[in-house]
Amino acid sequence: MKYAIGIDTGGTCTDAVLYDFDTGKVLCFNKALTTYDDLTRGILEALDGLDASLCRQACAAGLSTTLATNACVENKFHRPKLLLMGIDRKGIAQFGADYGFTDPDDIVYLPCKTTITGQILQEPDWALLRAHAKEWFSGAEGCAICEIYGMRNNGVLEKQAASVIQQEIGLPIVCASELFSGLSSLERAASAVLNAGLLPLTCRFLDAVSRAFQERNIHADMYLVRSDSSLMGLNYAEQHAVETLLSGPAASALGGSTLAHAEHAVIVDIGGTTTDIALIENNVPLLSKEGIRVGKWRTMVKGLFASSFALGGDSAVRWDKQGQMTLGPDRMIPLCVLASREPQVLATLEDLLQRMPWHSLPLHEFLTLNRRDWQTLSLTEQECRLCAILEHGALGMEQAAQTLGIDKYNLHTESLERAGVILRAGLTPTDIMHLRGDYTRYERRASILGARFAAASMQCSLEDLCERVYNEISHRVFLAVSRILLEHASPYYQTHGIDDGMQHLLELQWNNQTSGGSSMLQYCFQSKAVLVGIGGPVHLFLPAAAKALGAACIIPDCAPVANAVGAVTGRMTRTLTAEIRPHGMTVSDEQDNMGDFEVLYDGESKYFIKEPEAIAWLTQQMQQTAESDLRAQGASGAITFQVQQHDVVAPAYSGAIKISTSISVTAQASLQLTAAKGESSHV
């Protein structure tokens, strides 16, 4: 028998499955809470729900995580300082926001001059960089470097700048040219910033899995799911953290497709922190034609054609100044979860309700310490005092303000929360599920008390509050599924997004679900694709969204751990595409470097007299490159290739004219399931 372990660490839960490749069955699975202070503990709790003897026989392990996705969506990753060469502040002020650079003054600029071919006309002032490095990068936890044409000269200036910064201050450094070779310098810069910021998070996750496996005597080769749903080895992953941006959504797409056996499907994964939506066509996850966007960041990472937004079981349920309910985007620890491990929370909530049954501030929320290394960070005196107090346990908002000797209106913890130093606990959809009895794993009494305070502050009943939360989640899922289907169906919406008019039309369709709509006009977008729900609470919210779309809905077995199933059923893949274009020149004795067909590949042009010769040469080159890339990513077994060829045409008076031939090569390698027992994988 060939066994493999799948592990997915999300913002709320860590899931584990034991998978039998011979039968294609999940033998056992388990869920545990993700333990942010020590990821290994949550992974061990998940593993301990599996058959220990069979786990020790596993020869491969697939991993996925939403930690990187969540960090970007919530803007809570350790953001490094960016050094730009050849791009000035004016350019960032004009174009930077579209790529995630909203503050031009938070970037270091070092002038230089290079050509589009990478020729260096004027080097940066290295003495200036050396003299000011400590000042410019003060307080930074890492450094990202991008030179405007670095992809054309092997990043020579980036590497020299990295050497200077490393010598002066010893920061972890990422060079953009070592990650991606695309022309867009700002996309390369954003990718480098994210990679540098996410490396500590990714390495922490990989190290936690490795330690957990060692403690349970599991010797399985480990692979991590990339944003495009393929797998990569750990050595590669340690240097390419940005490739995990959609690791969780990619795993959910693979897992949902595997479990539902649906040829065309919309995979909807409602987790604790985010809801992820992906499309399956002909049993394969659809990929984006451009670099993926997560939160405000626009990158060069090739990934799923997917949508990921901050909505889940841990989304904050609050109210605005008008007393109207809001849901998210902030994530919090559910009150029921906090109270199950810190019993004093119940007494604090009971006291609050007796003294002050409602308020404009969310006084039912709590602060809890997350990072035990807070003393090593650059914090204000008041922030240090708060962290020291929280060492002894969670405190309510009033308690924290009183202990610090300040008014509750002046308690500001935003910077500590963004840095992940402290976490906030409060009322969430998970608490509402406890009220309704749909999910009752933790301390239900805390959920009731928190909901009573929130309902009174919103001037509504508990029943009305519960209904509002459930309805709003279903509503947002319907809108998100509709948007991604519209973007897939129409390049216009993919380019321009959903405008106000279309948004209003979708709202009308959602309202039809309960009101029946106008007798004169019905609004009805419909989808033939089946909606496949995965994630713990999805059965509570997806059916209403499917009904509004007139679509079938499937909640497969093992839906709560589909991400872990997807993590172990993926393959290692690499796809390359290039074109052959008619050149209009003919080879002659005097000019034997020109031909009728031009191939632009790897930055250089090559010419051929006959198109079949060009196709054969290009295919061979791409196969060699794809295989080399897979080996670099950790592939060790046999590699298969799939070659596709099609004509690119344009309209003409006679009907259509061929303008080029497109060649696509996909290399694939399966997980190696023959590792000898006792061989260990190390991070």
Side-chain angles (χ1 to χ4, degrees), residues 526-541:
Q526 288 187 314
S527 175
K528 294 181 179 179
V530 61
L531 270 57
V532 178
I534 59 178
V538 70
H539 64 285
L540 302 173
F541 311 114

Side-chain angles (χ1 to χ4, degrees), residues 9-14 32-45 67 204 208 331 341 370 423:
T9 294
T12 302
C13 291
T14 292
L33 286 178
T34 296
T35 48
Y36 280 88
D37 59 325
D38 179 11
L39 293 174
T40 301
R41 192 171 76 252
I43 294 168
L44 285 171
E45 290 175 3
L67 293 176
R204 180 171 162 243
R331 172 193 175 273
R341 64 190 188 212
N370 180 51
L423 296 178

Side-chain angles (χ1 to χ4, degrees), residues 19-40:
Y19 190 82
D20 183 350
F21 270 99
D22 286 339
T23 63
K25 301 290 185 182
V26 174
L27 301 180
C28 49
F29 65 87
N30 189 38
K31 296 180 74 73
L33 286 178
T34 296
T35 48
Y36 280 88
D37 59 325
D38 179 11
L39 293 174
T40 301

Side-chain angles (χ1 to χ4, degrees), residues 470-492:
Y470 271 41
N471 187 69
E472 181 62 17
I473 295 175
S474 296
H475 175 213
R476 293 194 191 179
V477 170
F478 161 77
L479 291 176
V481 170
S482 300
R483 286 192 198 103
I484 196 171
L485 289 173
L486 278 168
E487 290 174 0
H488 174 55
S490 169
Y492 174 86

Side-chain angles (χ1 to χ4, degrees), residues 601-632:
Y601 185 70
D602 200 22
E604 297 183 0
S605 292
K606 190 172 180 65
Y607 302 91
F608 297 86
I609 298 175
K610 298 180 179 180
E611 187 178 39
E613 295 175 353
I615 293 173
W617 180 87
L618 179 59
T619 300
Q620 182 183 31
Q621 294 299 311
M622 288 198 292
Q623 286 179 338
Q624 291 175 355
T625 302
E627 179 171 2
S628 177
D629 289 348
L630 281 189
R631 298 299 183 198

Side-chain angles (χ1 to χ4, degrees), residues 148-275:
I148 186 169
Y149 296 123
M151 74 292 182
R152 289 290 172 80
N153 56 29
N154 201 28
V156 60
L157 297 182
E158 294 178 358
K159 293 173 183 176
Q160 191 163 345
S163 177
V164 172
I165 295 170
Q166 186 67 39
Q167 291 171 14
E168 294 300 317
I169 50 180
L171 281 178
I173 297 172
V174 170
C175 294
S177 62
E178 295 179 352
L179 292 174
F180 300 101
S181 59
L183 285 174
S184 174
S185 55
L186 293 185
E187 282 187 9
R188 280 188 285 112
S191 302
V193 166
L194 288 177
N195 199 69
L198 296 173
L199 276 174
L201 192 66
T202 300
C203 290
R204 180 171 162 243
F205 168 62
L206 298 177
D207 184 60
V209 177
S210 182
R211 284 186 278 115
F213 278 20
Q214 289 172 6
E215 287 192 33
R216 294 297 180 264
N217 198 27
I218 298 171
H219 306 286
D221 291 324
M222 291 185 279
Y223 303 85
L224 184 60
V225 178
R226 303 170 69 183
S227 295
D228 63 358
S229 77
S230 66
L231 302 177
M232 57 182 167
L234 298 199
N235 289 335
Y236 186 86
E238 284 181 315
Q239 303 301 321
H240 296 77
V242 70
E243 297 270 10
T244 70
L245 275 176
L246 292 184
S247 173
S252 71
L254 289 168
S257 177
T258 298
L259 294 173
H261 306 290
E263 185 177 2
H264 303 286
V266 181
I267 309 296
V268 181
D269 180 5
I270 303 179
T273 306
T274 62
T275 293

